[in-house]
């Protein structure tokens, strides 16, 4: 499913090795191809199809995006193709040039840096594809991106011929990072200006239907892609809660038990547990995530790999992560979070969007769900004669995320990450 990912992270390198192995390759690769076909065949209404997928950290968004890029562009080996359970399914995917823009390391302290860094990221794609670029100091990111798209199309037409040209695709990873950076500016006017500059740049995609077939945007926070100050991308398909994708990211409890059978049998002895008991503990510490109304429970891959790379020791690994945006939101809010957790009759807050200029009220619940600090636990349907309403119960997915949130709000000290999770906490109140 994943091919030659450029990363120094041992966790993601291990995930990559697993996902190209025979253990889970067939299942995940088929789901990825079905996602590609969904993007290929969804009506686009005179503009490229714009698709958004959000997941909490550690679920391999970048890895899946990289896999999509390689599958669509056919930058894969015959051996990898032969591992597919249904090669005919890949035959139905048109071969397209696919370009990846990753904003993971995007930083800026002011508007000038914000604009310049966007331009430099685009310029890097110009250089890598040997496209002539005469940059003007008066050029905006939107005009520069428009020129880049035209240059990439020309390359494609020169290689394939104008009649055989297939529209290209873009994968924009960590699309939410520039918007998080913009939200950190102290002046609301600067926040709006930076947000508009970025959304205006993305708006160039909307008018490239003759060049681009679809765009996949992945991230951890679902910011609005259009505002009153910028047209942006008002029509985007949010696939984050698509039931067809509910098990694409992460591992089920059964998958963890099968994939790590040898390791689990080894490590459970250290705790005087059976393999099933140890697996239950892994699930309650790192699982419980539901990404659709089907309520399929998934386990965070990155956390599981931390466990396996740390001799089976069970720590709240996510508590060491930086959740600066969430921390800022919670520090500015005096509202209790009691309304969100373990209460029936909730609105579908997971479907909302986050505003760079402030998050309050139910939007805080939206943010907590998007980042994995709350998840759907129950779905309640109320069907009347002419309509159906959905109501939900949300709760912490697992003990790791509960401890991590406690660190963020100052309820527990950061050094909790050096303390193994007490097994008694895992089963205490599990039926709440």
């Amino acid at each position: 499913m994943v091919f030659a990912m450029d990363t120094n992270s041992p966790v993601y390198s291990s995930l990559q090795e697993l996902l190209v192995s025979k253990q889970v390759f067939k299942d995940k690769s088929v789901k990825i191809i079905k996602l590609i076909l969904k993007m290929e065949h969804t009506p686009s209404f005179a503009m490229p199809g714009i698709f958004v997928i959000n997941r909490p950290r550690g679920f391999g968004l970048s890895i899946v995006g990289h896999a999509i890029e390689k599958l669509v562009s056919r930058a894969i080996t015959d051996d990898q193709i032969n591992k597919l359970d249904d090669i005919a399914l890949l035959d139905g995917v048109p071969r397209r040039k696919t370009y990846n823009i990753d904003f993971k390391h995007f930083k800026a302290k002011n508007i000038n840096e914000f604009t310049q860094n966007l331009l430099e990221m685009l310029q890097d794609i110009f250089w890598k594809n040997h496209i002539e670029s005469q940059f003007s100091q008066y050029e905006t990111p939107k005009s520069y991106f428009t020129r880049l798209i035209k240059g990439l199309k020309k390359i494609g037409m020169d290689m394939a011929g104008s009649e055989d040209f297939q529209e290209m695709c873009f994968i924009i990873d960590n699309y939410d990072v520039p918007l998080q950076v913009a939200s950190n500016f102290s002046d609301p006017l600067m926040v709006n200006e930076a947000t508009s500059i970025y959304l205006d740049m993305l708006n160039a995609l909307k008018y490239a239907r003759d060049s681009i077939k679809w765009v996949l945007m992945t991230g951890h926070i679902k910011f609005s892609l259009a505002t009153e100050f910028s047209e942006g991308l008002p029509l985007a398909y949010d696939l984050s809660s698509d039931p067809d994708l509910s098990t694409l990211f992460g591992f089920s409890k059964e998958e963890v038990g099968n994939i790590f059978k040898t390791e689990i049998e080894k490590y459970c002895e250290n705790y005087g547990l059976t393999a099933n008991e140890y697996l239950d503990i892994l699930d309650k510490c790192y699982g419980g995530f539901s990404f659709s109304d089907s309520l399929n429970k998934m386990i965070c891959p990155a956390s599981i790999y931390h466990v396996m790379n740390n001799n089976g020791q069970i720590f709240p690994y996510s508590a060491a992560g930086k959740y600066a945006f969430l921390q800022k939101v919670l520090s500015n809010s005096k509202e209790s979070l009691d309304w969100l957790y373990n209460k029936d009759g909730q609105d579908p807050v997971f479907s909302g969007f986050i505003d760079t200029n402030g998050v309050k009220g139910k939007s805080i619940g939206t943010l907590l769900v998007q980042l994995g600090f709350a998840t759907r636990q129950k779905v309640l349907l109320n069907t009347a004669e002419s309509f159906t309403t959905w109501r939900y119960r949300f709760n912490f997915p697992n003990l790791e995320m509960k401890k991590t949130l406690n660190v963020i709000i100052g309820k527990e000290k950061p050094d909790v990450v050096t303390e193994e999770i007490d097994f008694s906490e895992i089963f205490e109140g599990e039926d709440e």
Side-chain angles (χ1 to χ4, degrees), residues 102-114:
D102 188 353
F103 288 103
K104 181 177 182 179
H105 301 295
F106 185 87
K107 296 178 181 179
K109 296 179 181 178
N110 53 54
I111 293 294
N112 288 337
E113 284 188 10
F114 190 93

Side-chain angles (χ1 to χ4, degrees), residues 123-174:
Q123 191 171 58
D124 188 54
I125 303 176
F126 271 98
W127 288 341
K128 286 181 178 178
N129 292 277
H130 307 288
I131 302 172
E132 183 178 349
S133 171
Q134 295 179 350
F135 176 68
S136 165
Q137 62 177 326
Y138 302 107
E139 192 147 26
T140 65
K142 179 178 181 178
S143 63
Y144 205 40
F145 196 18
T146 299
R147 193 144 58 88
L148 172 63
I149 292 169
K150 290 179 179 178
L152 293 173
K153 179 183 178 181
K154 184 177 184 303
I155 290 176
M157 293 182 68
D158 289 345
M159 293 178 62
S162 57
E163 294 184 359
D164 298 322
F165 171 72
Q166 290 272 24
E167 299 104 316
M168 54 195 166
C169 305
F170 273 87
I171 296 174
I172 302 179
D173 196 15
N174 293 292

